[in-house]
């Protein structure tokens, strides 16, 4: 008797050989990616599809509809996971228009071991249906059912397949040409739960960019975070950690390499390693501290009181007239009391290709930040501010709309003023 799986559930696999198949009311293509622990293929030979139906330990059966034979003993030792992908033949169709597809795993004689009804699909045209993965010396199966927002081409390239060089690239499904949101290196190594959350946030960012006419813009993204003593509660409750997680999707849609440049500041500042998609959680645990020495950084030396000028000057020193745009996301719980010097600095900064988006965390006195829109003497309005009493109570759509709301207008004004070329 077969076991029914639900999304996210896994099961043990005792059989040395299995057959994976997918039934769908729509015409679909079945493919598979053999990936290493890094979430990528070793070469294009680890991509199984209709024009390359075999790989070590895997056979795409062309004599039946959508079936893959897997021999675990023949899978190379470097392969940690096998991801089973279904793609609609019609590039204009979505799975939501049809009955839910059903994925099964059977033994070679046809006895069904697991069945997974992939419910909840709506606008997806490419879905990772199942995943086989190693746990020590054993193999397990996981019900995934995750749509891939970037389309078929981005799915395979994100897993390391060189689509342009593959012999059959001209025959890839038409869904390969679809554009929804950008996918950056490292996403394939995430767990499916993290990938699903990241995709939702990327779509929220993309919607804001599309709605404001800024879709397709590439910009350097810099994250600056306050580490003064008054931020102690925000660090202790890991609010700042969650800020980092929610800023990463912004970089994926704007920055060329999808990474966030990062600073912590107080009386002085520390320029930290860039934050990448694959290492965002580890980065937060390693670098978000108020005191002590961590990863070679003396956090006590940075201080515990506000002085925004040093970190702002350092960022400005990295900007050059004629550069592409930079978006600076500056999180603080207050300060900015040195109104005269900061105002002078913002006037100087208005000649440089950067927009400063200041975000207040918690209930605090934000000083000059509340009157930035009234600051005179700037060639363009190069800054915005909004305060969040509790960022965890603001959903992604609202957060990104406020975060990116003034950036497109600055882009247009900066081009008109010759700040951007």
């Amino acid at each position: 008797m077969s076991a029914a799986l639900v999304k996210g559930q896994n099961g043990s696999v005792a059989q040395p050989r299995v057959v994976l198949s997918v039934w769908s009311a729509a015409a679909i293509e079945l493919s598979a990616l053999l990936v290493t622990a890094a979430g990528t293929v070793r070469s294009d030979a680890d991509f199984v599809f209709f024009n390359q139906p075999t790989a070590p330990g895997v056979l795409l059966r062309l004599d039946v509809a959508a079936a893959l034979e897997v021999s675990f003993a023949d899978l190379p030792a470097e392969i940690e996971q096998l991801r089973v992908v279904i793609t609609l033949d019609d590039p204009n169709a979505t799975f939501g228009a049809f009955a839910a597809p059903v994925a099964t795993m059977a033994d070679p004689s046809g006895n069904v071991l697991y069945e997974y009804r992939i419910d909840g699909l709506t606008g997806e045209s490419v879905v990772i249906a199942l995943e086989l993965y190693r746990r020590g010396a054993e193999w397990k199966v996981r019900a995934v059912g995750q749509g891939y927002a970037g389309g078929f081409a981005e799915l395979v390239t994100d897993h390391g397949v060189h689509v342009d060089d593959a012999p059959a690239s001209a025959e890839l499904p038409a869904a390969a040409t679809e554009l929804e949101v950008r996918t950056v290196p490292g996403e394939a190594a995430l767990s499916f739960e993290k990938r699903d959350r990241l995709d939702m946030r990327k779509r929220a960012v993309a919607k804001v960019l599309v709605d404001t006419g800024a879709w397709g813009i590439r910009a350097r993204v810099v994250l600056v975070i306050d580490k003064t003593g008054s931020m102690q509660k925000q660090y202790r409750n890991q609010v700042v950690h969650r800020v980092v997680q929610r800023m990463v999707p912004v970089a994926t849609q704007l920055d060329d390499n999808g990474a966030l440049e990062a600073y912590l500041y107080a009386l002085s500042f520390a320029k930290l390693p860039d934050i990448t998609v694959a290492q965002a959680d580890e980065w937060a645990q390693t670098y978000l501290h108020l005191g002590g020495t961590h990863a070679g950084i003396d956090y006590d030396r940075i201080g515990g009181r506000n002085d925004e000028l040093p970190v702002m000057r350092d960022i400005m020193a990295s900007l050059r007239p004629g550069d592409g745009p930079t978006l600076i996301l500056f999180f603080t719980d207050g300060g900015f009391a040195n109104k005269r010097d900061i105002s002078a600095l913002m006037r100087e900064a208005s000649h440089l290709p950067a927009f400063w988006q200041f975000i207040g965390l918690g209930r605090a006195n934000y000083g000059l930040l509340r009157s930035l829109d009234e600051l005179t003497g700037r060639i363009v309005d190069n800054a915005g501010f909004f305060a969040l009493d509790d960022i965890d109570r603001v959903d992604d759509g609202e957060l990104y709309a406020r975060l990116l709301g003034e950036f497109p207008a600055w882009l247009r004004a900066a081009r008109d003023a010759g700040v951007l070329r």
Side-chain angles (χ1 to χ4, degrees):
M1 183 175 178
S2 64
L5 298 177
V6 297
K7 186 172 183 177
Q9 188 177 4
N10 57 42
S12 298
V13 183
Q15 291 73 14
R17 300 174 69 90
V18 294
V19 178
L20 306 170
S21 61
V22 181
W23 173 89
S24 174
I28 61 171
E29 296 286 350
L30 186 68
S31 57
L33 293 153
L34 285 69
V35 300
T36 65
T40 57
V41 299
R42 300 168 303 168
S43 72
D44 291 349
D46 288 337
F47 173 39
V48 176
F49 67 120
F50 61 89
N51 218 34
Q52 185 171 272
T54 62
V58 182
L59 169 66
L60 175 60
R61 289 167 49 178
L62 302 176
D63 58 322
V64 296
L68 286 157
E69 289 187 0
V70 180
S71 171
F72 294 108
D74 295 325
L75 287 171
E78 307 97 305
I79 299 303
E80 293 286 330
Q81 301 163 354
L82 186 147
R83 295 176 179 172
V84 179
V85 180
I86 53 174
T87 307
L88 286 169
D89 279 356
D90 182 354
N92 299 312
T94 62
F95 278 105
F98 303 93
V102 178
T104 60
M105 187 176 78
D107 64 22
S109 63
N111 296 315
V112 176
L113 307 170
Y114 292 102
E115 182 174 284
Y116 169 39
R117 180 182 173 86
I118 312 175
D119 290 313
L121 300 179
T122 55
E124 300 90 343
S125 61
V126 181
V127 173
I128 300 175
L130 295 170
E131 178 186 55
L132 297 174
Y133 63 99
R134 291 184 193 266
R135 275 296 178 266
E138 299 179 351
W139 283 88
K140 303 189 78 172
V141 61
R142 178 184 289 119
V144 179
Q146 177 186 312
Y148 203 92
F152 186 80
E154 289 196 15
L155 180 148
V156 294
T157 54
D158 192 38
H159 284 78
V161 177
H162 299 92
V163 173
D164 290 338
D165 299 329
S169 61
E171 299 181 51
L172 290 173
T177 63
E178 294 180 358
L179 173 64
E180 297 180 27
V181 298
R182 286 184 76 221
T183 299
V184 300
E187 291 189 23
L190 298 177
S191 69
F192 285 106
E193 291 77 13
K194 290 181 180 179
R195 183 61 183 269
D196 196 42
R197 184 165 58 248
L198 176 64
D199 280 344
M200 288 190 293
R201 287 174 171 167
K202 289 195 304 182
R203 285 192 288 272
V205 172
K207 183 179 187 303
V208 175
L209 295 174
V210 170
D211 290 347
T212 56
W215 178 251
I217 292 293
R218 292 291 167 262
R220 172 188 174 200
V221 184
V222 179
L223 177 65
V224 184
I225 304 175
D226 187 339
K227 69 149 294 285
T228 54
S230 57
M231 287 282 289
Q232 183 175 358
K233 182 178 179 181
Q234 310 281 11
Y235 278 78
R236 183 177 64 246
N237 295 339
Q238 297 206 330
V239 172
V240 180
H241 294 63
R242 294 190 290 278
V243 165
V244 169
Q245 292 168 353
R246 295 177 78 176
M247 293 308 102
V248 166
V250 177
T252 68
Q253 301 309 293
L254 287 174
D255 196 278
D256 278 338
N257 65 6
L260 276 168
E261 297 180 42
Y263 288 82
L264 289 188
Y265 86 95
L267 279 171
S268 65
F269 63 90
K271 176 71 168 69
L272 302 173
D274 291 354
I275 308 169
T276 64
V277 164
Q279 299 296 325
D281 289 345
E282 293 83 352
W283 187 97
Q285 295 300 325
T286 302
Y287 294 107
L288 292 180
H289 305 282
L290 292 175
T293 299
H294 308 272
I297 298 170
D298 184 350
Y299 286 75
D300 294 321
R301 181 194 63 78
I302 301 173
R305 293 185 293 107
N306 293 76
D307 185 354
E308 297 81 13
L309 293 170
V311 68
M312 293 176 71
R313 288 194 181 108
D314 191 76
I315 294 170
M316 287 172 59
S318 72
L319 302 169
R320 297 289 184 271
D323 285 352
T326 292
L327 173 62
I328 301 156
L329 305 173
F330 202 115
F331 285 83
T332 179
D333 76 337
F336 288 80
N338 190 345
K339 185 173 182 178
R340 184 180 67 180
D341 288 345
I342 293 174
S343 296
L345 203 65
M346 291 307 298
R347 292 186 180 101
E348 180 184 345
S350 71
H351 294 266
L352 297 171
F355 183 79
W356 301 71
Q357 180 61 64
F358 296 97
I359 305 99
L361 286 178
R363 299 171 177 85
N365 176 15
Y366 295 111
L368 169 68
L369 293 179
R370 291 196 180 276
S371 57
L372 275 177
D373 284 341
E374 302 165 8
L375 183 62
T376 60
R378 293 175 293 167
I379 186 172
V380 292
D381 181 355
N382 61 335
F385 170 74
F386 64 91
L388 295 170
D389 289 339
D390 185 350
I391 193 172
D392 290 329
R393 294 191 176 186
V394 179
D395 66 31
D396 292 327
E398 179 183 349
L399 177 62
Y400 296 136
R402 298 179 73 179
L403 199 74
L404 299 169
E406 296 187 53
F407 180 57
W410 170 81
L411 286 169
R412 293 186 286 273
R415 288 195 188 96
D416 290 345
V419 174
L420 283 176
R421 295 178 176 84

